[in-house]
Amino acid sequence: MHHLPLLDIFDTIRQLGWGGFFELLRNGIVLGSVYALIALGYTMVYGILKLLNFAHGDIYMVGAFLGYGVLSVLGGPLAPTVALVPLIILMFVGAMLGAGTLGVVVERFAYRPLRNAPRIAPLISALGVSFFLANSVLLLTQGQRYNYSAYQLGGDAETGLPGPLVEPAFSVLGRPVTVVQVLVVSTSIFLMVALTLLVSRTRLGKAMRATAFDREAANMMGINTDRVIASTFFIGSVLAGAAGVMFGLYIGETYYFMGFLAGLKAFTAAVVGGIGSIPGAMVGGLLIGLTESFAAGYVGGQWSDIVVFGILILFMLVRPNGLLGTRAIQKV
Amino acid sequence: MTETPQAPVGPDEVDRPRIGVDEWVASAEQRHERAGGLSGWISRGWEGIPPAGKLLGFVALASTLPFWMNQGDLFSYGLFTLLYALLALGLNIVVGFAGLLDLGYVAFFGIGAYGYALLSSSHYGIHWQAEFSIPVVVLGTAFVGLLLGLTSRRLLGDYLAIVTLFFGQAFVAFVNNANPHVAGEGLTGGPNGIPGVDPLNFFGYELQSLKQYYFFVLIVFALAAAALYFLNESRTGRSWRALREDPLAAEAMSIPVNRLKILAFVFGAGTAGLTGCIFAAIQTGVVSGNFTVALLITLYAIIILGGLGSIAGVLIGAIVINVTFQFLSPANDVPELKRWLFYGAIILIVAKIRPWSKLAAIFGGTIAFGFVAHAVAQAINSSWTAGTVVDAGAGGSALEHWVILPKGHPAFDTWAYIILVAAIIVCSQVKGWWRVGALIPTLYWVAVVWENVLAEQPAVTALILFGALLIALMQARPQGLLGTARVEIV
């Protein structure tokens, strides 16, 4: 290659054709639904505390490890002692509860004492938590990558035949959509619907919206805002834990540094959608997933991150409040 | 704030600003004068020294280093502390003086290093003299800073932090992954970076020995610190502080807010670019792994530890952080120092507990608890105490009779670490004698985890401690060691 790969883009589009287009679309949607789940945690915390919770990506990473932990307690990926469906459910439940608890502890320990501190203090504290979590996992795993082996999961250990997770569920234009991809997207949709119902229909959801709107006023109306904030962290972290297991099953491996970049992308998603807006985070996650997938397919994998970040910087300059965000009025 | 007026209370006594804060601020001088004891005497003495005296004192002290330190120590303690300090000075302009949250600062350091590496190395065969390449690179980096600073016209607070963070990440992705082909050669060399960078070479005089580099960096640092001191005292510096405290009020006072923000970015980026050039020359190469978010967090730890906006604080922060870092680095040639540093720090933290009866109970209790725990563990199964300590050294082997050191229990490390984190969280949440009761097993467990897990991977431990330090510092003293407490009047 003697010129910028950006110039090859039209050749690549022609070569890949509609089948290739569909594959990229499919990958983008799967990736996007993982990002969207993480982005929801970012956006909920920002909405309620105006805090950029940099530790959220690392909670997602811990969730992925917890899912792996459940898997290895139940016999490991190659010889699980329970059937596939309860195994996956247990992995999700374990990771979600563990991550949720971690989120509450982080809030209680690192953010709550700083509730009335200058704005920079919780932000630095969040960087500290992120650093602490990532390096703790590095210490305990010694930088090793743990493999979910989604390929073998539920398959025949003796013959080495692949398990049902990588079987095609259906195909479009001759390109397969595997069971694990369907699983990721449908779980993600289910959780997002559940979250939307929780926020719009329940008392807790109402309290969360009130706290996000005006914390002091909510406090005076008899809402225990500390508990509402803790619940927000719990719910956001539960979603991140689920996203961690999804990523583990889909990509196949977890490592200590995966939280940072995924967190950053999810954060991009939250910003593009309009930070603080729940539907915005879902749309944003999908957009970032699709952008990354198409950039990787048409421009080249090594450029995909730059394309994503470049788009974000331009986007922020044109529309800082995101697609679905509302323009904040600065109070004096 | 909709609270009813009440008697003025110092903001350090309550957790939020109250009516009467102005009075509290106004009486700060008198309270300061009254501050008794050793700490009051030291802080008054410190403030009595004129700034020029402080700088000269530091330079005089620092220039003795090459005469009593060996080469390795001079490199890792002396030179690196100065580089960290120089780099943190630049970040301090943007964050400390002007109050703009720049999370992409490391990218400017990287641009400086790569810029020098492109202009003065065998990568493209361009071997510019440093007196040409450094000014070009510094101006170029400052120009990139100007471009990034332009975004601060439109973006406030968190949004600016987001965009700068992405800028930093895009830079790493660019040099590491993209590595576009220019003139038949990968521009940035990908993950391998650019090797064979020229040493600094001024007007035909080449810096060769470590000593020469050390003195060069010391002079650059002293000049930069002096320049920044005058800049901070100037009209521009005062406007930056006004901007930091309240951008809206500053704008209303007809301070050119946008121009000042961009100026802060330009100065910060220029300093980072200069440090990048020197760093590339010292390392005789650049690799993308040097410009990650880990460095960013280290730099924030430095400027926050010392106190945002304080030049002396930056230096103290750099010394504390770098010396700790080098102590804990695997290359440290006196390995048991790590142990003494670690236990020393723990004892210093615990020794702040008063009254004395509690302190004595904690120390005595911890020692007794250790022997009991060791005996119980040995009685259960001797494999729990069969391990050995890493880098025993003087006194270290005595620990083997006190600390549980399991052998052949691979899952122990993970659980020990998780239990430790949980125990520290519990300690911070309980009060009074309950805390004493919780502290005794926790302190013992700290020693167990250190000997079993942390001492084996000191480099990772250093990073974990950084993270914990940032969290703890934000709660204990958010203004840093030398910073003045800021009161946000709502």
Side-chain angles (χ1 to χ4, degrees):
Chain A
M1 259 196 291
H2 294 287
H3 51 267
L4 286 174
L6 289 165
L7 302 177
D8 294 333
I9 186 164
F10 295 109
D11 286 348
T12 322
I13 291 177
R14 209 172 304 127
Q15 275 167 19
L16 290 176
W18 284 107
F21 175 81
F22 172 74
E23 276 196 344
L24 295 176
L25 184 71
R26 175 200 67 195
N27 294 349
I29 290 175
V30 177
L31 210 55
S33 51
V34 176
Y35 288 154
L37 275 190
I38 314 172
L40 283 171
Y42 266 117
T43 230
M44 285 165 69
V45 167
Y46 191 86
I48 211 157
L49 277 185
K50 301 283 171 288
L51 162 71
L52 297 177
N53 182 12
F54 284 116
H56 193 66
D58 297 279
I59 288 179
Y60 150 82
M61 176 270 298
V62 172
F65 273 98
L66 287 173
Y68 183 83
V70 173
L71 182 64
S72 49
V73 166
L74 296 174
L78 299 182
T81 51
V82 276
L84 187 62
V85 174
L87 176 71
I88 288 180
I89 291 175
L90 281 177
M91 281 162 68
F92 268 107
V93 170
M96 285 159 82
L97 288 181
T101 315
L102 181 65
V104 173
V105 169
V106 166
E107 191 272 332
R108 179 75 190 77
F109 198 59
Y111 303 145
R112 193 180 294 180
L114 304 173
R115 201 59 50 83
N116 293 307
R119 288 293 300 281
I120 194 176
L123 202 69
I124 301 294
S125 194
L127 280 176
V129 173
S130 161
F131 217 49
F132 182 83
L133 287 179
N135 285 297
S136 296
V137 173
L138 169 63
L139 182 86
L140 298 178
T141 62
Q142 320 220 317
Q144 211 182 330
R145 288 166 183 253
Y146 284 84
N147 206 323
Y148 272 65
S149 307
Y151 187 75
Q152 283 119 326
L153 209 58
D156 195 329
E158 280 166 27
T159 57
L161 284 175
L165 283 182
V166 290
E167 297 276 310
F170 58 89
S171 46
V172 177
L173 296 169
R175 308 295 167 118
V177 178
T178 60
V179 172
V180 66
Q181 289 167 335
V182 175
L183 176 82
V184 166
V185 175
S186 52
T187 316
S188 174
I189 291 174
F190 167 74
L191 288 173
M192 286 194 254
V193 170
L195 178 74
T196 312
L197 288 179
L198 180 107
V199 171
S200 60
R201 299 284 168 83
T202 62
R203 274 177 76 86
L204 176 64
K206 207 177 203 175
M208 280 162 66
R209 280 179 286 144
T211 311
F213 189 73
D214 188 332
R215 199 166 74 226
E216 275 191 16
N219 220 338
M220 288 172 198
M221 296 299 133
I223 294 172
N224 184 347
T225 46
D226 274 346
R227 195 180 295 162
V228 171
I229 291 168
S231 317
T232 309
F233 270 87
F234 182 78
I235 296 166
S237 308
V238 160
L239 297 178
V245 176
M246 284 179 191
F247 185 83
L249 285 174
Y250 176 52
I251 300 295
E253 60 174 15
T254 59
Y255 57 103
Y256 79 99
F257 207 62
M258 68 188 253
F260 182 72
L261 205 58
L264 215 56
K265 300 257 179 68
F267 180 35
T268 317
V271 173
V272 167
I275 194 152
S277 146
I278 289 179
M282 302 176 189
V283 175
L286 212 56
L287 273 181
I288 296 296
L290 289 173
T291 311
E292 189 181 335
S293 173
F294 282 115
Y298 289 143
V299 192
Q302 73 271 39
W303 287 93
S304 68
D305 282 354
I306 298 178
V307 171
V308 171
F309 294 140
I311 287 178
L312 181 94
I313 292 178
L314 290 179
F315 185 87
M316 289 289 292
L317 289 176
V318 178
R319 204 182 150 82
N321 297 300
L323 287 174
L324 303 181
T326 46
R327 183 152 191 87
I329 297 164
Q330 213 185 355
K331 278 184 246 174
V332 186
Chain B
M1 278 287 144
T2 50
E3 283 167 34
T4 48
Q6 48 182 269
V9 197
D12 45 354
E13 292 159 34
V14 290
D15 57 355
R16 59 172 65 188
R18 300 249 171 132
I19 311 279
V21 162
D22 289 337
E23 222 165 287
W24 183 81
V25 173
S27 66
E29 281 294 302
Q30 288 136 24
R31 267 181 295 115
H32 181 70
E33 282 302 315
R34 277 203 310 274
L38 190 64
S39 61
W41 184 77
I42 290 177
S43 75
R44 271 194 298 277
W46 171 258
E47 271 160 35
I49 308 173
K54 284 180 199 167
L55 185 63
L56 281 179
F58 167 73
V59 170
L61 210 62
S63 52
T64 64
L65 244 59
F67 301 104
W68 52 270
M69 263 191 177
N70 65 36
Q71 289 276 314
D73 282 353
L74 183 64
F75 183 73
S76 51
Y77 291 103
L79 196 58
F80 263 76
T81 302
L82 285 179
L83 282 177
Y84 271 126
L86 194 55
L87 202 49
L89 273 185
L91 184 62
N92 194 36
I93 302 174
V94 191
V95 184
F97 291 172
L100 301 164
L101 203 54
D102 179 4
L103 297 180
Y105 180 73
V106 172
F108 296 121
F109 178 52
I111 291 171
Y114 273 96
Y116 181 78
L118 289 176
L119 292 181
S120 304
S121 77
S122 27
H123 189 64
Y124 281 120
I126 310 171
H127 291 278
W128 282 15
Q129 298 268 328
E131 73 264 18
F132 295 119
S133 56
I134 288 185
V136 168
V137 170
V138 169
L139 287 178
T141 317
F143 180 70
V144 181
L146 179 104
L147 293 183
L148 188 65
L150 284 176
T151 62
S152 69
R153 288 169 67 92
R154 275 184 67 94
L155 302 169
L156 296 170
D158 292 338
Y159 289 101
L160 183 66
I162 295 168
V163 164
T164 50
L165 181 66
F166 286 119
F167 174 73
Q169 288 311 305
F171 172 76
V172 173
F174 178 78
V175 294
N176 201 21
N177 302 336
N179 187 19
H181 281 244
V182 176
E185 193 73 57
L187 182 68
T188 60
N192 298 328
I194 303 174
V197 174
D198 296 345
L200 290 179
N201 197 334
F202 293 98
F203 307 103
Y205 178 78
E206 192 177 288
L207 295 183
Q208 280 160 339
S209 72
L210 183 62
K211 237 183 234 185
Q212 287 169 337
Y213 269 106
Y214 178 79
F215 280 113
F216 175 71
V217 179
L218 184 63
I219 293 167
V220 170
F221 173 80
L223 290 179
L228 289 181
Y229 173 78
F230 287 121
L231 185 64
N232 193 31
E233 296 292 304
S234 73
R235 192 187 171 88
T236 311
R238 286 199 304 276
S239 328
W240 270 337
R241 262 169 286 156
L243 171 68
R244 175 186 77 190
E245 295 303 328
D246 193 336
L248 276 179
E251 200 166 8
M253 296 291 164
S254 79
I255 289 173
V257 167
N258 283 331
R259 202 194 306 158
L260 282 164
K261 283 180 183 170
I262 294 171
L263 203 62
F265 267 100
V266 167
F267 273 101
T271 314
L274 173 66
T275 320
C277 291
I278 301 171
F279 179 74
I282 289 172
Q283 297 273 307
T284 64
V286 282
V287 283
S288 59
N290 285 327
F291 311 108
T292 56
V293 85
L295 177 63
L296 180 76
I297 293 179
T298 312
L299 289 177
Y300 267 91
I302 287 173
I303 62 169
I304 286 167
L305 184 72
L308 277 177
S310 154
I311 293 176
V314 165
L315 188 57
I316 291 176
I319 294 172
V320 170
I321 297 271
N322 185 47
V323 168
T324 318
F325 208 75
Q326 299 297 345
F327 258 25
L328 289 171
S329 96
N332 188 345
D333 37 333
V334 195
E336 68 260 29
L337 264 182
K338 287 172 207 162
R339 173 171 292 120
W340 299 126
L341 181 78
F342 184 77
Y343 287 121
I346 300 281
I347 289 171
L348 272 183
I349 294 169
V350 176
K352 296 201 90 170
I353 292 174
R354 292 289 179 278
W356 292 97
S357 59
K358 260 186 196 172
L359 187 62
I362 288 172
F363 274 125
T366 308
I367 292 169
F369 185 88
F371 286 112
V372 173
H374 190 269
V376 170
Q378 193 153 25
I380 294 170
N381 190 334
S382 63
S383 73
W384 286 105
T385 50
T388 48
V389 300
V390 187
D391 303 325
S397 45
L399 281 167
E400 287 174 9
H401 300 288
W402 185 66
V403 172
I404 300 177
L405 290 159
K407 195 173 182 183
H409 296 276
F412 177 80
D413 288 2
T414 308
W415 286 111
Y417 185 77
I418 293 170
I419 290 170
L420 175 67
V421 173
I424 291 174
I425 289 174
V426 168
C427 278
S428 72
Q429 301 302 322
V430 294
K431 292 270 178 307
W433 282 96
W434 283 106
R435 179 176 279 183
V436 177
L439 260 178
I440 290 172
T442 306
L443 283 177
Y444 177 66
W445 206 249
V446 167
V448 170
V449 172
W450 168 261
E451 298 299 345
N452 281 296
V453 191
L454 301 178
E456 287 168 14
Q457 298 179 59
V460 184
T461 303
L463 301 179
I464 293 177
L465 292 179
F466 266 171
L469 174 84
L470 280 183
I471 303 169
L473 196 69
M474 281 301 109
Q475 300 185 11
R477 205 177 151 81
Q479 75 272 30
L481 295 176
L482 289 189
T484 43
R486 277 172 60 194
V487 183
E488 288 206 345
I489 298 172
V490 186

